[in-house]
Amino acid sequence: VATLQSQLLEAISGTALGEAELLNPLDGRPHARFLAFRDPRAQRWCAGLKAKQCITDVRGDVLRIGFGLYHDEEDLEAFAALASELA
């Protein structure tokens, strides 16, 4: 999961999501299986992703992207494509 998280951060670096504040940066220590991004647009992003059959979690102004053992690089590419459409 840590490898996928790193790859996702790289893949979204040029997107609006990449501009959001990453609340739980990857620092080599034990890490949750999600990345949490703070941004005022989090609610809108979550709704837009859900409309495209991409499930994320939102709590206030924090969008959380979860990772599971079943995710792979193709999933990251698909998510990065969706993230590129976020404004």
Side-chain angles (χ1 to χ4, degrees):
V1 169
T3 300
L4 292 176
Q5 289 175 328
S6 293
Q7 291 172 342
L8 181 72
L9 290 176
E10 184 176 323
I12 65 167
S13 65
T15 69
L17 182 55
E19 298 169 4
E21 177 188 4
L22 178 61
L23 297 178
N24 58 341
L26 304 176
D27 57 9
R29 295 185 298 176
H31 197 276
R33 290 189 182 232
F34 64 88
L35 295 173
F37 297 89
R38 177 177 286 144
D39 192 279
R41 300 168 285 185
Q43 295 281 336
R44 182 167 31 108
W45 289 344
C46 184
L49 291 166
K50 184 177 180 182
K52 296 186 181 207
Q53 308 305 311
C54 180
I55 305 303
T56 59
D57 179 37
V58 67
R59 297 176 185 195
D61 64 351
V62 178
L63 179 73
R64 298 184 346 154
I65 301 167
F67 294 81
L69 296 175
Y70 48 86
H71 288 120
D72 59 24
E73 290 183 17
E74 288 180 18
D75 295 318
L76 294 183
E77 291 171 12
F79 183 83
L82 292 175
S84 72
E85 299 173 8
L86 298 175

